[in-house]
Amino acid sequence: MARIAVIGAGMGAMAAAARLAVAGHRVTVYERSATHGGAVGRFERDGFRFDTGPGLLHLPAVWRDLFVKTGKEPLEQCVELVQVDPASRHLFADGTDATLPNVSRAGIVSALDTALGAGAGERWGEFLGRARDAWDRSRRPLLEEPLPADRARVAQDPYPALRQGLMRRTARTLGEVGSRELRDPRLAALLDSHALAYGLDPRSAPASAAVLPYMEQTFGSWYVKGGIRALADAVYERCVARKVEFVFGAAVTEVLEKDGRAVGLGLEHDGPVEADLVVAGAPVPALFRDHVVPWVRQDEWPAWQSTVRTGRVTVLLALRGARPAESVHRTVVHAADSAAEWDAIAAGRPARRPTVTVLRPDDPLLRPDDAHETVTLTATVPAELEGEDSWAAAADAFADRMVEAARAAVPDLRDRILWREVRTPADTGRDTGVREVPAPALAGARGALLPASNSSSTPGLYFAGGWSHPGGGLPHAGMSGALVAGLIVEGAAFRGSQ
């Protein structure tokens, strides 16, 4: 039985902790804040409750597997999962309105044909077929296995070339996929919005990012009754039931090393803490920048160093008036000019007209009564602003623009607002230690979008969570926990799920 110290109580860290405890190890989690969940937070006021992180769950099988492997009670006995149908509504700049069903490729094709014109659905369906090929080629090395020492296999883009006449021509970026293969600016905007949600510029994201819409439309969108925070609570409770110890208010200042091996943690208060193994589940780029783990090689972080650093602004709206029965859970209000939006983000400025995602969950647990409604708006933004401006100064004006855009989805929005809470990347940094929202690992781009490996060059030190393999997103966090546990329990020969 090893003594294992885990840094951070985020979703990936807790997923690793629960699995390691079941394997017989003594696991202690050290969390800098006063609660668990990391980016999966909650805001409460006047009987209104909001998720401050992700609002929907994709690939719930990842979390089902965790609960199966760590106890008798399955996931559905601990939280209530609801399929979101329709999956999403898309309001395009030209006024086109498309509502897409959940987990129905034929239904999506039909909906796009109806909204965008004959042939649009067929082109999207053919694109999903190519995205499936990319998924099949990259799923195991990017999601189910530890990153190989030789990353050449995942550095190549698996998205197949489209035949044009007698030739095959490969799209290098997701933007090229949209312009060449979808041939409709609204379909291109639909594709781009999946990259934007993860902070990826479609003009530079590899074509392999096609797996993002494929994953969502194939495996579905799910809502957790009570909000995604309820999932974080259930994972925490599973950890406690498996005898994982949590120490809150314990900021880690260093990973201790002896004879070239990780042997414990230094804490801001108290300590040191001795350990046989260390799992860094906190945002690893922040640790690297603060020189907590200076032995991590700089060339292990190409994505962190070379891509635009993005975060999210979230506007939490408490509304008077009941939620209309016909309301759609998720609506994406697309920007009129996605190129201008990304130009602003890359320049460190809030976009004048951002793409805004509107979430309207029909959940009595989130509102004081049925005469009120909770609505959450999100937009991708620069993690930090250029010049003398700060998010504290820019937040309200940008939130006003988000609310104005959201009126396309909720026409009476302004008149119904009781109060609002605006959360910026600065708030994310305060809560989690880092302002950025990590993107999932993607093949191609010469390996530039591959995160850190789960095992490090320092014996005894492992990485879990969104800043390590397989990257950001709730499913990916759960997978990172499974990979770290497998490497520790089975050793370097561990190859992931079979």
Side-chain angles (χ1 to χ4, degrees):
M1 179 179 70
R3 299 168 301 172
I4 301 178
V6 178
I7 305 172
M11 298 297 282
M14 290 196 295
R19 291 175 182 269
L20 290 168
V22 167
H25 298 292
R26 194 170 75 208
V27 183
T28 304
V29 177
Y30 297 88
E31 166 58 46
R32 63 191 288 272
S33 73
T35 187
H36 58 275
V40 183
R42 170 164 287 159
F43 180 84
E44 300 185 42
R45 174 181 163 187
D46 301 338
F48 293 90
R49 309 169 80 190
F50 301 86
D51 283 322
T52 59
L56 291 174
L57 176 65
H58 307 296
L59 281 177
V62 172
W63 297 100
R64 290 191 182 108
D65 182 69
L66 172 71
F67 278 76
V68 166
K69 299 290 176 56
T70 59
K72 295 180 180 179
E73 303 85 6
L75 175 64
E76 278 82 353
Q77 190 172 322
C78 301
V79 298
E80 183 179 349
L81 292 179
V82 181
Q83 262 200 336
V84 175
D85 201 8
S88 60
R89 179 187 181 199
H90 292 264
L91 301 179
F92 299 100
D94 68 348
T96 304
D97 184 337
T99 299
L100 306 182
N102 200 358
V103 199
S104 172
R105 181 165 169 175
I108 290 171
V109 168
S110 176
L112 290 174
D113 273 341
T114 299
L116 277 62
E122 181 181 1
R123 290 195 298 280
W124 184 262
E126 291 171 348
F127 155 73
L128 285 181
R130 292 186 290 276
R132 180 192 59 210
D133 290 343
W135 168 263
D136 290 341
R137 296 173 186 176
S138 62
R139 174 179 55 87
R140 284 188 60 81
L142 279 192
L143 298 179
E144 299 177 354
E145 299 177 346
L147 276 178
D150 180 5
R151 300 187 180 187
R153 181 162 61 112
V154 285
Q156 299 299 314
D157 198 318
Y159 186 78
L162 178 65
R163 181 175 292 280
Q164 296 178 328
L166 298 177
M167 305 291 291
R168 285 188 177 273
R169 188 177 181 189
T170 302
R172 295 170 300 172
T173 67
L174 195 68
E176 289 183 358
V177 172
S179 60
R180 289 183 190 172
E181 302 176 16
L182 298 179
R183 304 191 307 280
D184 184 308
R186 297 162 298 181
L187 287 179
L190 173 60
L191 176 60
D192 291 351
S193 67
H194 288 84
L196 178 67
Y198 288 101
L200 297 169
D201 185 344
R203 300 173 301 182
S204 59
S208 65
V211 300
L212 300 176
Y214 172 81
M215 201 165 49
E216 178 181 318
Q217 295 186 3
T218 301
F219 302 107
S221 298
W222 301 75
Y223 175 70
V224 180
K225 203 71 176 290
I228 295 295
R229 176 67 186 188
L231 175 63
D233 293 342
V235 175
Y236 170 74
E237 290 164 5
R238 177 55 55 91
C239 286
V240 171
R242 300 285 81 82
K243 310 301 183 186
V244 174
E245 181 182 356
F246 285 80
V247 182
F248 293 104
V252 174
T253 57
E254 61 178 326
V255 175
L256 303 177
E257 178 191 0
K258 182 178 180 181
D259 298 328
R261 181 179 181 84
V263 294
L265 304 176
L267 305 180
E268 186 175 22
H269 305 291
D270 301 323
V273 172
E274 295 182 355
D276 301 307
L277 300 168
V278 173
V279 176
V284 176
L287 292 178
F288 178 77
R289 285 198 299 273
D290 295 339
H291 306 291
V292 177
V293 282
W295 52 84
V296 176
R297 297 195 314 273
Q298 188 167 336
D299 61 5
E300 291 184 17
W301 297 99
W304 170 49
Q305 293 170 348
S306 63
T307 59
V308 177
R309 296 172 56 212
T310 59
R312 294 192 183 107
V313 167
T314 304
V315 182
L316 313 176
L317 299 174
L319 304 186
R320 62 172 64 88
R323 178 185 186 274
E326 70 277 8
S327 301
V328 175
H329 189 116
R330 175 177 54 168
T331 300
V332 180
V333 183
H334 293 264
D337 188 341
S338 61
E341 181 177 16
W342 265 109
D343 285 342
I345 292 172
R349 302 191 309 270
R352 293 300 306 169
R353 170 57 176 86
T355 296
V356 175
T357 298
V358 182
L359 295 181
R360 306 181 73 181
D362 185 11
D363 189 346
L365 297 176
L366 300 186
R367 56 192 183 234
D369 53 53
D370 288 343
H372 295 85
E373 180 183 4
T374 59
V375 170
T376 301
L377 315 179
T378 59
T380 296
V381 297
E384 295 180 349
L385 301 184
E386 286 294 324
E388 298 180 359
D389 289 338
S390 69
W391 271 116
D396 280 339
F398 187 71
D400 287 343
R401 299 203 291 274
M402 291 175 64
V403 169
E404 183 61 28
R407 290 178 61 195
V410 190
D412 57 353
L413 182 59
R414 283 195 178 277
D415 296 335
R416 295 179 57 199
I417 297 175
L418 288 170
W419 52 262
R420 75 184 189 188
E421 176 75 13
V422 182
R423 293 179 54 84
T424 72
D427 297 298
T428 305
R430 184 192 64 239
D431 293 345
T432 69
V434 65
R435 293 182 172 213
E436 300 95 318
V437 176
L442 292 175
R446 299 182 180 179
L449 292 174
L450 298 177
S453 299
N454 302 113
S455 56
S456 76
S457 54
T458 299
L461 175 63
Y462 298 85
F463 297 140
W467 293 102
S468 62
H469 181 65
L474 273 175
H476 301 78
M479 293 173 194
S480 78
L483 291 170
V484 167
L487 288 166
I488 290 175
V489 173
E490 299 185 28
F494 171 70
R495 296 312 309 156
S497 59
Q498 302 298 321

